[in-house]
Amino acid sequence: MVFMEASSRSVADVLIVTENFIEAADISDAIPGVSPDRIVHIRELHAGGHFWQDPEFAPALSVLSYRRSETSFDAVARLLVERGSALLLLDPSPEVQAQFECAALIRPFTAAGLARKIASIDFSGNGLKVGSDPG
């Protein structure tokens, strides 16, 4: 777990939820202009309970690996959307993608495909600056 100093956003600009550390690193690398210390990776939704309870936790982008076995998925995804987070779901069913009206990627995906998908997300409503220099 990465602990970060406070900024205009609580804890993180980007949340990544996937069991796969390499996939999380690839996703982090595909988000230009966001400092690595502003990206939080957790392996499973239940590990983020302290984030969901913090009303200030509102990442601009949440990349969630969809797992049907995670009973809290719908509630957490809804909570993140309500807090202004853009969603990018990994491997959702068409019904889940439609339910959240969000971007989706199906594994296996390429680095170029991932970068294109992230570039296509509209962050104008939540202030994330993708593609600008972090400094």
Side-chain angles (χ1 to χ4, degrees):
M1 180 70 65
V2 176
F3 293 97
M4 292 162 263
E5 295 178 21
S7 75
S8 60
R9 249 180 215 287
S10 174
V11 183
D13 292 320
V14 177
L15 168 67
I16 300 170
V17 181
T18 177
E19 288 185 326
N20 186 318
F21 287 104
I22 294 171
E23 183 175 75
D26 289 344
I27 293 167
S28 295
D29 291 345
I31 306 172
V34 177
S35 174
D37 67 341
R38 302 295 302 151
I39 299 174
V40 167
H41 169 231
I42 58 176
R43 295 185 69 193
E44 297 174 343
L45 288 175
H46 74 269
H50 59 291
F51 292 133
W52 322 145
Q53 294 172 10
D54 177 358
E56 299 297 313
F57 182 72
L61 172 63
S62 295
V63 181
L64 307 178
S65 179
Y66 178 68
R67 293 190 347 209
R68 287 162 187 77
S69 62
E70 285 187 311
T71 57
S72 60
F73 181 87
D74 284 359
V76 170
R78 236 180 272 111
L79 177 74
L80 290 166
V81 169
E82 288 170 5
R83 292 181 181 176
S85 187
L87 289 183
L88 172 55
L89 302 183
L90 305 178
D91 287 343
S93 67
E95 296 80 18
V96 169
Q97 182 181 2
Q99 173 186 350
F100 291 104
E101 299 177 355
C102 64
L105 275 173
I106 304 301
R107 293 177 182 104
F109 48 82
T110 64
L114 175 61
R116 277 193 304 276
K117 187 61 72 170
I118 290 170
S120 74
I121 297 172
D122 178 10
F123 295 104
S124 61
N126 61 25
L128 183 65
K129 304 289 188 260
V130 173
S132 59
D133 287 331

